[in-house]
Amino acid sequence: MSDRFTCIAVDMGAGSIRLMLGTLDGGKLSCEEAYRISNETVEIDGHERWDIERIFAEIRKGIARAIALAEDAPESIGVDSWGVDFVMLDEEGKLLELPVAYRDSRTEGMMDQWRTMMGDAETYARSGINFYVFNTLFQLLSLKGSGLLDASASLLFIPAYINYLLTGKVANELSSSSTSQMLGVLGRQWDEAILGHLNLDPAKLGEVVDAGTRLGPVVLPEVRETKMEGVAVCGHDTACAVAAIPVETPDFAYISTGTWCIVGIESDTPLLSKEALELGLTNERGYGNSYRILKNIVGLWLLRGLKKALPDSTSFSEMEAMTLEAGHVGQVIDPDAALFYNPDDMKAAFDAYFEQSGQSIPERFGAYLCCAYDSLCFSFRYHVEELERLSGKPVRHLHLIGGGSQSDYLNQRIATICRRKVVSGPVEGAALGNMLIQGIAMGRIDSLETGRQLVRQSCKLKTYLPGKDDSQNQARFEHFLRLKLHSNES
């Protein structure tokens, strides 16, 4: 056996899907993009759907491309993707229909309908998952009593379905399953009371396997000579990204920065208090039976919305320069306010918020950008401090992952406003975590700790220390807290 370990990570995103060729050689981990697939929903029969048959045909092409690029034959392959969405199979293992996407309107009104069956506190205590309209629970509730659901023999989450096509093994993985709001918060069993209200036989969801489970050989004709094996990595992409965080001590929180941002901590136990429910915390599962206690918040969506008011050629670097030129800005928003979820005009949404909260309208566009950046940082600080308070876990430094971690300006503002050291990177967190879990499963990496050390050795990381936290920052943070309190009360 060669000392070099080579694998393929299928990293599925709602906008694009990438096949990454990963190599571990000489204590260094590297990855390169072998193939990229555009991904968007298609409207069929009145629903937004994923064209999963086209996607898998493209994944097969990507696998062939990765094999051709590799110096050594890849030993394994793993798949991660977004959560909650699923496919339905018949008794013969055939697809009943193209899977409906989480953004489809079929879940409208389903949360209210569910609350007539089971209260929020009980649902949260049973599943540990907070209430999002796109959760699998509400998707399935919209199908309750339908002939389609009755005709199904198996339900597989998206990464589990791709694994099934690769290996023939039917098995849902723990992290993906946990996003459904139907898995018991402890262990790997489906919650019978929740499924009972859906009239759903738990056998249809089947066995839940831990991340790192070896699924057997890939059965595609074009890869039989490589003896490639499928591995059920963390099916949820954020769980993979968290597995690759290059932590050195346990006193950290992480911020995944993208269109939406995630602020979270790693824990051995879930947080199930009334306060955790009301704060919007959710307890998703991670590698090694850990819990990712996290909060989803509006993120760089604010900046992308404001960017539409600028010439198309304007870069984010130019926007950051406009922010610096704006100087001191007094305005603050609560990024979680409903106004900012999906406005036709983001700048107009900011103006409406300023008027409603008794703040002046900025005269310079850079002030809008400064308000957006700083308000995000205030939100990060608020949620980090709430996680720290509710969990009892001290948070002394922050790890930034995702696309936003490439912004020096944002990273420094987070360090200063959150009053904590920030370590940014890796950008390719999900793909690297996918590869680490494969390496552990295949006996090429000793443990998660060893894998995280490999990330530290292999990836470009940057450290940011808190700058001068003047009285203006503190006053604006206190203003943010008042706005947040008002939002929570209304």
Side-chain angles (χ1 to χ4, degrees):
M1 180 184 294
S2 169
D3 290 336
R4 187 201 307 263
F5 170 67
T6 303
C7 65
I8 299 172
V10 183
D11 183 24
M12 301 179 65
S16 67
I17 297 166
R18 298 176 309 154
L19 280 85
M20 307 291 285
L21 184 63
T23 303
L24 173 60
D25 188 19
K28 291 294 182 69
L29 188 68
S30 63
C31 65
E32 64 173 309
E33 183 178 307
Y35 198 74
R36 181 181 287 261
I37 306 161
S38 64
N39 190 27
E40 57 186 23
T41 57
V42 292
E43 186 171 341
I44 299 175
D45 298 331
H47 292 288
E48 294 293 318
R49 300 179 185 272
W50 301 112
D51 190 355
I52 201 72
E53 294 172 321
R54 179 192 73 85
I55 288 170
F56 186 66
E58 289 294 317
I59 287 174
R60 290 182 69 166
K61 293 178 184 177
I63 292 171
R65 173 64 176 160
I67 292 172
L69 287 174
E71 291 186 34
D72 298 323
E75 295 178 33
S76 60
I77 186 169
V79 183
D80 65 77
S81 84
W82 62 94
V84 306
D85 288 347
F86 59 92
V87 302
M88 293 180 286
L89 306 180
D90 64 16
E91 291 283 356
E92 297 181 352
K94 304 295 185 183
L95 197 64
L96 283 174
E97 64 169 6
L98 292 179
V100 176
Y102 62 88
R103 64 188 69 162
D104 186 76
S105 62
R106 68 176 175 172
T107 56
E108 290 178 3
M110 290 300 108
M111 280 204 293
D112 289 337
Q113 185 174 329
W114 176 258
R115 285 169 171 141
T116 67
M117 305 174 184
M118 184 181 288
D120 288 9
E122 182 181 355
T123 306
Y124 190 65
R126 288 182 173 278
S127 69
I129 300 299
N130 225 297
F131 287 75
Y132 301 100
V133 70
F134 47 71
N135 286 352
T136 316
L137 171 61
F138 306 122
Q139 294 192 42
L140 286 171
L141 184 59
S142 74
L143 294 176
K144 184 179 178 181
S146 71
L148 187 65
L149 189 58
D150 292 342
S152 66
S154 300
L155 275 68
L156 290 175
F157 296 100
I158 296 295
Y161 179 61
I162 301 300
N163 285 333
Y164 164 68
L165 295 177
L166 291 172
T167 68
K169 174 74 171 179
V170 176
N172 282 309
E173 180 275 331
L174 183 61
S175 70
S176 293
S177 300
S178 74
T179 66
S180 68
Q181 207 172 13
M182 304 185 305
L183 189 74
V185 69
L186 303 175
R188 294 188 284 109
Q189 303 301 314
W190 298 103
D191 188 90
E192 293 186 1
I194 291 175
L195 296 191
H197 286 299
L198 298 171
N199 295 335
L200 182 62
D201 183 352
K204 292 189 176 185
L205 291 159
E207 175 189 13
V208 177
V209 301
D210 291 328
T213 298
R214 294 169 68 160
L215 300 173
V218 175
V219 297
L220 301 179
E222 59 265 37
V223 303
R224 281 180 183 160
E225 291 184 5
T226 69
K227 299 182 180 178
M228 189 188 306
E229 188 164 346
V231 175
V233 301
C234 288
H236 195 278
D237 50 8
T238 306
C240 274
V242 171
I245 292 176
V247 301
E248 297 185 71
T249 58
D251 53 350
F252 75 96
Y254 60 88
I255 302 174
S256 177
T257 50
T259 303
W260 288 79
C261 289
I262 297 170
V263 181
I265 59 173
E266 242 181 357
S267 176
D268 293 330
T269 56
L271 268 180
L272 299 172
S273 65
K274 180 181 178 183
E275 281 187 285
L277 170 62
E278 292 174 348
L279 185 61
L281 298 182
T282 201
N283 297 272
E284 296 178 359
R285 308 295 277 277
Y287 183 74
N289 294 314
S290 63
Y291 291 86
R292 295 176 293 113
I293 305 173
L294 58 89
K295 166 71 175 177
N296 291 289
I297 61 175
V298 171
L300 301 182
W301 168 257
L302 297 172
L303 279 304
R304 288 178 178 145
L306 290 172
K307 189 175 184 290
K308 293 178 181 178
L310 297 169
D312 290 343
S313 61
T314 307
S315 68
F316 279 98
S317 295
E318 290 171 324
M319 291 169 64
E320 290 174 2
M322 294 170 65
T323 303
L324 291 169
E325 291 171 3
H328 171 66
V329 171
Q331 292 88 349
V332 180
I333 64 164
D334 174 9
D336 284 333
L339 274 171
F340 304 116
Y341 279 176
N342 193 25
D344 293 329
D345 184 330
M346 185 66 78
K347 182 176 178 292
F350 271 69
D351 287 341
Y353 188 90
F354 294 145
E355 291 178 357
Q356 292 174 14
S357 56
Q359 302 181 74
S360 62
I361 303 298
E363 296 180 0
R364 302 176 65 183
F365 194 78
Y368 287 87
L369 300 174
C370 184
C371 173
Y373 276 115
D374 283 0
S375 296
L376 276 177
C377 295
F378 294 140
S379 183
F380 296 155
R381 176 176 167 183
Y382 168 73
H383 287 104
V384 166
E385 291 180 356
E386 288 295 280
L387 281 164
E388 191 175 44
R389 179 178 67 84
L390 293 174
S391 69
K393 172 186 175 178
V395 176
R396 296 187 175 90
H397 57 279
L398 305 174
H399 281 273
L400 265 61
I401 54 178
S405 67
Q406 299 175 88
S407 167
D408 286 325
Y409 174 78
L410 178 59
N411 296 341
Q412 185 59 63
R413 289 302 287 165
I414 293 172
T416 296
I417 289 175
C418 293
R419 300 175 169 181
R420 289 164 172 86
K421 181 177 79 171
V422 163
V423 178
S424 69
V427 176
E428 301 290 358
L432 287 168
N434 184 321
M435 295 169 191
L436 291 181
I437 295 167
Q438 290 186 61
I440 295 168
M442 300 300 290
R444 295 307 204 100
I445 299 173
D446 292 339
S447 64
L448 181 62
E449 292 71 27
T450 301
R452 285 173 161 172
Q453 183 179 348
L454 285 170
V455 174
R456 288 198 299 275
Q457 295 170 184
S458 307
C459 298
K460 183 180 179 181
L461 307 174
K462 292 188 72 172
T463 298
Y464 302 81
L465 300 177
K468 182 182 178 183
D469 188 12
D470 57 30
S471 58
Q472 291 178 340
N473 278 342
Q474 183 59 27
R476 292 174 71 218
F477 178 61
E478 291 170 3
H479 187 189
F480 168 85
L481 293 178
R482 292 192 294 272
L483 294 171
K484 173 65 73 174
L485 178 63
H486 178 73
S487 296
N488 292 342
E489 289 176 346
S490 60

